[in-house]
Amino acid sequence: MKRIGMLTSGGDCQALNAAMRGVVKGLSNNVDELEVYGFYDGYKGLIYGEYRLLTSTDFSGILTKGGTILGSSRQPFKLMRVPDENGLDKVEAMKQTYYKLNLDCLVILGGNGTQKTANLLREEGLNIIHLPKTIDNDIYGTDVTFGFQSAINIATDCIDCIHTTAASHNRVFIVEVMGHKVGWLTLYAGIAGGADIILLPEIPYDIDKVIEAIEKRTKAGKGFTILAVAEGAISKKDAKLSKKEYKKKMEKSPYPSVSYEVADTIKQRTGTEVRVTVPGHTQRGGSPTPYDRVLCSRLGAAAAEAILEEDYGCMIGIVKNETARIPLEKVAGKLKVVEPDCQIIREAKTIGISFGD
Ligand code: F6P
């Protein structure tokens, strides 16, 4: 008999359902009896005891379904130790729910913040398995996160669509790609979509270099230029500011995001028309790609194996194409960023992509 709890926390992404299905299939095929409790809206469900006993029907037909059957919410890690408005100790409340249901383990699907709380619960003595979800691909210790490949497809489709209209007009186009503080999604979608310039948070840009790259294309007879700009991209000048100063600058900025600032500067300096497209949350939506479905089936199976062996306190990730159990204490709180001098950046530069540096 195994009794597990499951929750999905933070911003959603494709393949959350596929991952949960993988875990449940992996367990139900290998134990006589299985009880699965699904907590609603992330840690909120665990804190306030909002859950439901799930049955095999819940996991039927969800391999291809985007979103999460459990719902999700953001519960910031830094507030976990702060009592709620009614004075409730959230960590104690989560532990009580866990013990009340007599769980063998809690399977937590989420990104970086979620992982920090997962590690906190491990430190508090709960049996935890974490599955790395996020379109941002910024979870340290795993080569890839689920949601990332599906989001690359959507962001690439967007750049592809911009390409056809760009070819009809002499304009500069900017596609702003999600990714929070890292540039993985922009880098991959940018290369896949044939962007000419890619701006990432990890490689602060010099607007003069960006304009130089656009003018070089114009001189070469190219009518248009496409920029893939990460939502977290930052100029060399702004990168020198302290976090606080930068936050203040952005709050006062007349632009909704960095892409609009880049667009306006290019327009003023070159006289060229610039258009900005923001695919936004579409990047987290829709069905998972076949790659993510396979990835989540593998991660789910590997999580089930760890649970069967009662090997807890880890993230189930991918290391060199193999599923791996990575101790939470080694990875929680760390961020996987794009190294400015890594191979893929060097290769992108070799084929003429400018990073504005
Ligand atoms: O972490 C996933 C992500 O989509 C980021 O790429 C983005 O910065 C953020 O979530 C958006 O968060 P929200 O859905 O809360 O607006």
Side-chain angles (χ1 to χ4, degrees):
M1 165 79 178
K2 284 278 176 211
R3 197 174 282 120
I4 67 160
M6 255 185 335
L7 63 87
T8 54
S9 168
D12 76 340
C13 73
Q14 306 87 346
L16 280 162
N17 290 325
M20 290 192 275
R21 170 186 175 270
V23 179
V24 171
K25 273 189 170 277
L27 287 173
S28 56
N29 276 329
N30 291 287
V31 292
D32 294 334
E33 240 186 293
L34 175 68
E35 273 181 16
V36 181
Y37 292 88
F39 296 98
Y40 296 128
D41 300 335
Y43 287 115
K44 216 166 133 201
L46 188 62
I47 297 169
Y48 298 105
E50 289 157 8
Y51 57 83
R52 178 165 73 83
L53 185 60
L54 302 170
T55 68
S56 58
T57 328
D58 289 299
F59 296 96
S60 213
I62 63 167
L63 174 64
T64 59
K65 202 174 164 196
T68 158
I69 57 166
L70 296 179
S72 191
S73 69
R74 291 195 189 277
Q75 298 290 319
F77 171 71
K78 60 178 181 217
L79 295 182
M80 278 300 177
R81 288 286 189 196
V82 179
D84 78 355
E85 58 281 11
N86 298 315
L88 181 80
D89 181 328
K90 294 172 204 149
V91 177
E92 275 313 307
M94 288 193 279
K95 284 163 69 180
Q96 270 175 31
T97 309
Y98 179 96
Y99 290 122
K100 188 180 99 184
L101 292 173
N102 204 11
L103 298 178
D104 290 300
C105 157
L106 192 56
V107 179
I108 298 175
L109 295 85
N112 277 307
T114 300
Q115 189 191 58
K116 283 197 244 174
T117 300
N119 189 44
L120 169 69
L121 294 175
R122 176 195 66 80
E123 286 166 350
E124 290 288 323
L126 307 194
N127 294 331
I128 303 292
I129 295 285
H130 170 239
L131 294 179
K133 140 299 14 174
T134 169
I135 63 165
D136 304 338
N137 194 36
D138 58 353
I139 299 183
Y140 190 85
T142 181
D143 294 346
V144 69
T145 60
F146 57 90
F148 178 51
Q149 293 290 337
S150 302
I152 291 174
N153 271 21
I154 296 168
T156 303
D157 274 351
C158 177
I159 300 174
D160 287 351
C161 290
I162 290 297
H163 242 119
T164 63
T165 174
S168 319
H169 297 271
N170 288 330
R171 282 174 178 164
V172 171
F173 285 86
I174 294 180
V175 177
E176 182 177 289
V177 182
M178 272 189 171
H180 201 217
K181 292 179 182 160
V182 302
W184 293 108
L185 189 52
T186 311
L187 177 63
Y188 276 73
I191 294 174
D196 309 296
I197 300 168
I198 297 177
L199 304 183
L200 309 179
E202 295 90 336
I203 308 178
Y205 64 86
D206 174 344
I207 196 69
D208 292 337
K209 293 277 162 64
V210 173
I211 290 168
E212 240 172 62
I214 296 170
E215 284 173 344
K216 194 173 158 201
R217 275 181 61 80
T218 312
K219 271 190 204 133
K222 315 272 185 188
F224 66 89
T225 298
I226 294 182
L227 287 85
V229 176
E231 62 177 350
I234 188 164
S235 68
K236 278 191 196 295
K237 205 169 136 214
D238 286 348
K240 287 189 187 131
L241 299 175
S242 68
K243 254 190 189 171
K244 211 171 153 192
E245 287 168 334
Y246 183 62
K247 203 175 159 215
K248 218 168 161 190
K249 185 207 146 169
M250 292 312 276
E251 275 164 11
K252 281 194 189 153
S253 165
Y255 307 108
S257 67
V258 65
S259 299
Y260 290 89
E261 185 179 346
V262 171
D264 203 23
T265 316
I266 295 171
K267 196 175 163 205
Q268 281 175 29
R269 298 261 304 265
T270 66
T272 321
E273 268 192 288
V274 188
R275 294 284 189 268
V276 179
T277 299
V278 183
H281 287 77
T282 63
Q283 292 162 97
R284 287 190 346 212
S287 296
T289 55
Y291 177 95
D292 269 337
R293 296 177 202 178
V294 174
L295 173 62
C296 284
S297 302
R298 293 184 67 195
L299 293 177
E305 282 164 12
I307 295 168
L308 292 169
E309 290 169 30
E310 300 181 2
D311 185 7
Y312 304 118
C314 56
M315 164 175 75
I316 307 294
I318 297 284
V319 178
K320 294 195 176 107
N321 267 330
E322 301 275 314
T323 56
R325 297 173 195 171
I326 303 119
L328 276 171
E329 80 231 48
K330 288 205 170 147
V331 292
K334 293 186 186 167
L335 197 65
K336 185 179 72 181
V337 299
V338 178
E339 294 300 338
D341 194 33
C342 66
Q343 197 179 44
I344 185 168
I345 295 283
R346 292 201 306 273
E347 289 158 349
K349 285 183 174 175
T350 300
I351 59 168
I353 296 173
S354 164
F355 287 84
D357 59 336

